[in-house]
Amino acid sequence: GIFNFLVQVVLSFGMAWRQGPDAVREKNKTVDFSGLSIAFQVLGQVTSAIAYCKLALAVQPWKGVEELDTYIFLLSQHSGTVTLLVGLSNNLILSHVLPK
């Protein structure tokens, strides 16, 4: 979630950071996160927290090291899968929205 948000910020600023602080400030004037974008980020954080809680209840990592290892593995797989799907979706949307 947070990584995806940072990627969106970087994509919004583009390469302005290479041109110095004035270019970044100028680009910042045009950056506007919509309510939908913010809601999407919040929704992503909340659903991830719910998924982590459900995984914890299913695996019960407090029972031992093996369960904890399994829980950590499942969390990493969840995060990796979500990051992959969101990244692919973003690239698909951006490739059809941005002018060529």
Side-chain angles (χ1 to χ4, degrees), residues 39-56:
F40 180 76
Q41 293 298 324
V42 170
L43 182 64
Q45 296 297 321
V46 169
T47 56
S48 287
I50 291 169
Y52 292 173
C53 289
K54 285 184 175 184
L55 285 171

Side-chain angles (χ1 to χ4, degrees), residues 2-4 7 10-11 14-15 19 21-22 24 36-37 39 41 45 48 53 55 57 59 62 79 88 90 96:
I2 293 172
F3 177 74
N4 291 326
V7 167
V10 169
L11 289 174
M15 299 306 284
Q19 298 166 356
D22 291 334
V24 171
L36 181 62
S37 175
Q41 293 298 324
Q45 296 297 321
S48 287
C53 289
L55 285 171
L57 291 174
V59 176
W62 53 85
S79 296
L88 290 172
N90 283 342
H96 288 85

Side-chain angles (χ1 to χ4, degrees), residues 29-82:
K29 292 178 185 176
T30 63
V31 173
D32 184 26
F33 293 106
S34 69
L36 181 62
S37 175
I38 293 169
F40 180 76
Q41 293 298 324
V42 170
L43 182 64
Q45 296 297 321
V46 169
T47 56
S48 287
I50 291 169
Y52 292 173
C53 289
K54 285 184 175 184
L55 285 171
L57 291 174
V59 176
Q60 301 177 348
W62 53 85
K63 284 190 170 182
V65 175
E66 186 175 322
E67 290 85 355
L68 180 61
D69 285 345
T70 302
Y71 179 67
I72 292 170
F73 173 75
L74 291 173
L75 291 185
S76 71
Q77 295 305 298
H78 175 269
S79 296
T81 302
V82 169

